[in-house]
């Protein structure tokens, strides 16, 4: 059985979820291959071998240097047609979700997106995925070949497992590309919310757009900063920071909610975190019912003190 | 501009979800249903474009008879007409829904299709790009700003760590992201007018589709509720310092997460 992992790279650096997908793939089948698209990426491709890719298909083409959903769908459909994998795994990033959706229609293939687990049950591919923003966990069976699984970042540990990692160049056609990318604004070096191991979020209790206390705590923990919808609606934080049923679903090791009441839509997006800490001045706030540890107090006193304490610990 | 909006009726996000006796679906009784929040953004954006450029906005939905309510709400917001395709007893996965929508769209003239980037019930993130693929048109995902000019649409989209700006030729499909607009409420006159607007219901057979064409490939075998989180420990202490010292100790030694 062949599992093909679609690896995602940004400027020659692989997203962590690509390695996580390889680790998930190794538990599914005997032959694990990877494919990476881009331009000038042949040299970095070998890294995928460190995580268990036996063969690494590299489509290195100027037309693929920037991700476009139609170009990548076309190229991947060709490659998948050649390799005929039983299962295709891709990271459920913004790009991965879009690409897998378009690819599922092109290949007439089963798709399960944002999966938190994937396994074989006899010869059936079975995946677990949250629905209703995490209020329910569904076990789904994917029929037909290939089955496409988009794996949520941060749910499977990336384990080093050196394999042959033979790089094979493939020539593919990007086909007709409609998308023209005319601008990009990316904060480099920022830890992405969905990939972060620690998330510190601030809600309406922040009282304004000064998030410096939250940012300092996040920095001391190597964490990403999140927000409740109220904070986004107030214009204090960008929409990409929103955690919840209509924002991002996160499952970090540690989630620290500051000045967040714990509305059902917010809880949906973060209750699969391993450990939850709530800091809120209202002892009756519902967030305390879901938190492993709670501090009742003014976040503007608690958060800076906590930051200092974390710094002491980390030395 | 002929604009199509893909709209799904879903349980309101404040709903508590319980699992039905069959173990593979949720208990529907007593749930409040609404337009999928992202599709509400889609209706609003379509109306704005129509207001600027002229044309008509048509709402398409695949769902049970009840979903007419959601389409009616969209008409009350200002859309011109609606179409519900009722798949009857067929259980659809995302791809099947996309096939039905593509079949319904094929013979309709359109310049732009607006969908949500996800429906907050199944969370498939699939139908928009899949419909675009089946129709052979471009798609742009998670749009927070758009401008239509000279046969093309230019969109700002959210991506990891920021935004990107892309342009595709029309006809195209875009999916909405929060921040795109603030959906208007249906006004009372709007609600009255909506009652007279055309709203058709069709079956799969009307589009020459059979259940066999649409057999789901992704099948829910079981639903579970995630493990209940129990309330943990409130850290007591005389001073803020005492509390944070204890918390850091607990996170380091007990929970081992820092
Ligand atoms: C369709 C729909 C979708 C939604 N989707 C989402 C979503 O994805 N994500 C989301 O988060 N919400 C979502 N919501 C909104 C949700 O219902 C809540 O309104 C929102 O989560 C509340 O945000 P909050 O906790 O920051 O604000 P509030 O509920 O106002 O809570 C603020 C908290 O801060 C505390 N506080 C105030 N000052 C301090 C201080 N100095 N120190 C310590 N604590 C303090 C207060 O005690 C209070 O508990 C959605 C709502 C709808 C209708
Ligand atoms: N049954 C449906 N009828 C009409 N549009 C739908 C339906 N299901 C999904 N969509 C559209 O596709 C988007 C993404 O849905 P999903 O792929 O199910 O997460 C939604 O926001 C809608 O715009």
């Amino acid at each position: 059985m062949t599992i093909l992992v679609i690896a995602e790279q940004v400027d020659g650096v692989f997203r962590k979820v690509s390695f996580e997908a390889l680790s998930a793939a190794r538990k599914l089948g005997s032959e694990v291959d990877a494919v990476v698209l881009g331009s000038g990426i042949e040299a970095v491709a070998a890294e995928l071998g460190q995580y268990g890719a036996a063969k690494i298909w590299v489509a290195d083409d100027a037309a693929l240097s920037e991700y476009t959903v139609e170009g990548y769908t076309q190229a991947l459909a060709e490659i998948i047609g050649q390799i005929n994998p039983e299962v295709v795994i891709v990271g459920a990033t913004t790009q991965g979700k879009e690409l897998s959706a378009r690819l599922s229609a092109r290949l007439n293939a089963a798709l399960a997106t944002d999966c938190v687990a994937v396994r074989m049950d006899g010869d059936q591919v079975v995946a677990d995925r949250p629905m209703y923003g995490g209020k329910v966990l569904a076990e789904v069976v994917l029929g037909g070949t290939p089955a496409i699984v988009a794996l949520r970042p941060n749910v499977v540990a990336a384990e080093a497992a050196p394999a042959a990692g033979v790089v094979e160049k493939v020539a593919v056609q990007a086909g007709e590309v409609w998308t023209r990318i005319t601008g990009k604004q990316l904060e480099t070096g920022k830890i992405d919310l969905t990939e972060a191991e620690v998330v510190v979020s601030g809600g309406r209790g922040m009282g304004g757009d000064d998030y410096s206390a939250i940012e300092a705590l996040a920095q001391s923990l190597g964490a990403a900063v999140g927000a409740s919808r109220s904070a986004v609606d107030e214009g204090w934080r960008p929409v990409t920071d929103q955690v919840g049923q209509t924002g991002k679903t996160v499952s970090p090791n540690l989630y620290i909610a500051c000045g967040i009441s714990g509305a059902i839509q917010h809880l949906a997006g973060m209750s699969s975190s391993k450990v939850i800490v709530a800091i809120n001045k209202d002892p009756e706030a519902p967030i305390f019912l879901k938190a492993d540890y709670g501090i009742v107090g003014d976040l503007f006193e608690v958060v800076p003190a906590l930051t200092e304490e974390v710094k002491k610990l980390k030395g | 501009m002929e604009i199509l909006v893909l709209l799904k009726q879903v349980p309101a996000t404040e709903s508590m979800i319980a699992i039905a006796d069959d173990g593979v679906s949720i208990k529907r009784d007593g749930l409040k249903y609404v337009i999928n929040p992202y599709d509400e953004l889609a209706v609003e954006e379509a109306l704005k474009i129509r207001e600027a450029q002229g044309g008509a906005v048509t709402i398409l939905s695949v769902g049970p008879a009840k979903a007419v309510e959601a389409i009616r709400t969209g008409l009350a917001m200002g859309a011109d007409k609606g179409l519900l395709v009722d798949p009857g007893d067929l259980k659809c996965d995302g791809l099947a829904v996309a096939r039905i929508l593509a079949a319904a769209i094929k013979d309709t003239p359109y310049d732009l299709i607006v969908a949500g980037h996800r429906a907050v019930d199944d969370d498939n993130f699939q139908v928009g790009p899949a419909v675009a693929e089946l129709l052979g048109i471009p798609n742009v995902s998670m749009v927070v700003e758009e401008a239509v000019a000279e046969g093309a649409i230019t969109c700002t989209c959210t991506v990891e760590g920021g935004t990107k700006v892309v342009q595709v030729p029309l006809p195209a499909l875009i999916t909405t992201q929060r921040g795109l607009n603030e959906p208007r409420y249906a006004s009372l006159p709007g609600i009255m007018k909506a009652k007279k607007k055309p709203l058709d219901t069709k079956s799969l057979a009307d589009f020459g589709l059979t259940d066999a064409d649409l057999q789901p490939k992704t099948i829910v075998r079981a639903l579970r509720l995630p493990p209940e989180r129990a309330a943990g420990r409130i850290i007591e202490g005389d001073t803020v310092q005492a509390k944070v010292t204890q918390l850091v100790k607990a996170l380091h030694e007990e929970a081992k997460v820092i």
Side-chain angles (χ1 to χ4, degrees):
Chain A
M1 197 166 116
T2 304
I3 321 292
L4 181 69
V5 168
I6 304 174
E8 182 179 337
Q9 52 86 25
V10 188
D11 298 331
V13 179
F14 287 107
R15 283 198 188 281
K16 197 176 81 185
V17 69
S18 303
F19 304 138
E20 295 168 358
L22 283 166
S23 297
R26 284 198 300 119
K27 305 214 169 73
L28 280 191
S30 43
E31 168 93 10
V32 173
D33 292 351
V35 57
V36 56
L37 312 185
S39 168
I41 40 145
E42 208 185 329
V44 295
E47 193 183 356
L48 298 167
Q50 296 302 310
Y51 292 87
K55 237 180 249 149
I56 303 158
W57 304 88
V58 178
D60 203 314
D61 192 313
L64 300 171
S65 70
E66 291 273 10
Y67 164 78
T68 63
V69 64
E70 66 278 15
Y72 274 41
T73 298
Q74 172 65 32
L76 285 166
E78 262 187 52
I79 294 170
I80 290 169
Q82 285 175 31
I83 306 175
N84 270 316
E86 275 82 4
V87 183
V88 173
I89 308 185
V90 58
T93 57
T94 306
Q95 171 178 321
K97 284 181 192 150
E98 179 186 55
L99 184 57
S100 56
R102 192 146 185 149
L103 205 51
S104 74
R106 169 70 64 95
L107 301 172
N108 192 21
L111 167 66
T113 206
D114 221 11
C115 297
V116 295
V118 51
R119 60 189 165 275
M120 295 303 299
D121 181 358
D123 56 3
Q124 281 184 317
V125 183
V126 177
D128 292 337
R129 55 180 304 267
M131 295 191 346
Y132 298 91
K135 291 176 198 162
V136 177
L137 201 62
E139 187 180 55
V140 298
V141 179
L142 293 91
T145 305
I148 308 178
V149 172
L151 182 73
R152 177 186 286 187
N154 244 357
V155 295
V156 172
E159 289 164 6
V166 179
V167 172
E168 299 242 4
K169 286 195 80 168
V170 273
V172 289
Q173 303 292 320
E176 189 182 356
V177 173
W178 298 300
T179 307
R180 268 191 41 216
I181 301 160
T182 58
K184 255 197 229 175
Q185 239 189 349
L186 299 180
E187 257 184 70
T188 46
K190 193 174 149 185
I191 306 167
D192 191 70
L193 259 185
T194 52
E195 291 195 352
E197 286 177 13
V198 181
V199 173
V200 184
S201 286
R204 200 194 296 281
M206 295 303 295
D209 65 1
D210 182 359
Y211 265 54
S212 52
I214 298 281
E215 271 156 5
L217 177 58
Q219 180 149 33
S220 73
L221 289 162
V225 174
S228 72
R229 166 155 162 185
S230 299
V232 172
D233 284 347
E234 293 287 350
W236 301 340
R237 302 301 291 178
V239 63
T240 41
D241 282 4
Q242 183 182 319
V243 173
Q245 192 171 358
T246 53
K248 289 191 173 141
T249 311
V250 297
S251 19
N253 282 334
L254 174 60
Y255 187 90
I256 306 183
C258 309
I260 291 178
S261 60
I264 187 166
Q265 295 97 340
H266 191 81
L267 296 174
M270 44 64 88
S271 47
S272 60
S273 307
K274 200 167 141 216
V275 174
I276 296 173
V277 171
I279 299 168
N280 196 301
K281 66 178 183 191
D282 174 8
E284 304 295 324
I287 187 84
F288 286 124
L289 299 175
K290 303 287 171 184
D292 301 280
Y293 302 102
I295 291 186
V296 179
D298 184 341
L299 74 90
F300 293 103
E301 291 172 21
V302 177
V303 172
L306 183 56
T307 308
E308 288 312 310
E309 202 59 28
V310 170
K311 281 191 191 153
K312 262 191 240 162
L313 175 77
K314 301 226 163 180
Chain B
M1 287 279 284
E2 290 295 324
I3 309 169
L4 309 180
V5 173
L6 310 184
L7 178 150
K8 189 178 190 189
Q9 189 186 41
V10 298
T13 56
E14 66 264 25
S15 309
M16 298 286 281
I17 301 293
I19 295 166
D21 294 337
D22 66 5
V24 296
S25 59
I26 62 159
K27 283 194 180 142
R28 304 264 169 199
D29 336 325
L31 284 186
K32 186 181 146 213
Y33 280 83
V34 296
I35 300 178
N36 176 39
Y38 295 107
D39 303 350
E40 224 174 8
L41 300 178
V43 174
E44 177 63 35
E45 202 62 15
L47 294 176
K48 279 190 164 158
I49 297 172
R50 185 196 63 189
E51 282 155 12
Q53 314 237 349
V57 174
T58 304
I59 295 178
L60 298 180
S61 189
V62 175
K66 185 179 169 54
V68 159
E69 304 160 0
I71 301 179
R72 232 9 124 192
T73 307
L75 296 177
M77 286 170 74
D80 300 283
K81 50 188 196 289
L83 171 65
L84 175 71
V85 186
D86 185 342
D89 294 332
L90 182 72
K91 273 203 163 181
C92 297
D93 62 3
L95 190 50
V97 170
R99 283 195 192 290
I100 297 169
L101 289 166
I105 292 168
K106 216 181 270 141
D107 302 320
T108 326
Y110 64 89
D111 302 293
L112 179 67
I113 305 175
V114 193
H117 81 263
R118 83 201 223 216
V120 300
D121 52 356
D122 295 343
D123 288 332
N124 279 330
F125 295 82
Q126 184 180 19
V127 171
V131 166
E133 171 63 27
L134 295 171
L135 295 171
I137 60 170
N139 77 277
V140 183
S141 298
M142 317 248 311
V143 173
V144 289
E145 199 182 325
E146 56 74 28
V148 173
E150 291 164 16
I153 186 165
T154 304
C155 305
T156 305
C157 321
T158 60
V159 294
E160 275 84 1
T163 55
K164 66 175 182 186
V165 183
V166 303
Q167 188 182 68
V168 296
L170 296 176
L173 183 148
I174 65 169
T175 69
T176 62
Q177 162 70 312
R178 257 172 50 73
L180 179 61
N181 57 46
E182 275 305 323
R184 66 195 69 185
Y185 289 103
S187 66
L188 200 54
I191 293 169
M192 299 311 291
K193 266 196 232 157
K195 292 186 177 153
K196 295 197 201 77
K197 288 182 178 170
L199 200 175
D200 268 0
T201 297
K202 292 200 170 170
S203 69
L204 297 181
D206 291 327
F207 300 106
L209 293 168
T210 63
D211 287 11
D213 301 328
L214 300 166
Q215 281 313 307
K217 294 177 177 299
T218 310
I219 298 169
V220 174
R221 180 160 85 173
L223 291 183
R224 276 180 281 142
L225 295 178
E228 250 317 300
R229 287 197 88 96
R233 173 150 74 88
I234 296 287
I235 301 206
E236 309 286 353
D238 293 338
T239 60
V240 166
Q241 186 56 47
K243 291 182 193 174
V244 299
T245 308
Q246 270 195 68
L247 175 61
V248 168
K249 193 164 185 272
L251 292 176
H252 183 58
E253 291 172 9
E254 206 173 272
K256 299 194 167 54
V257 286
I258 63 173

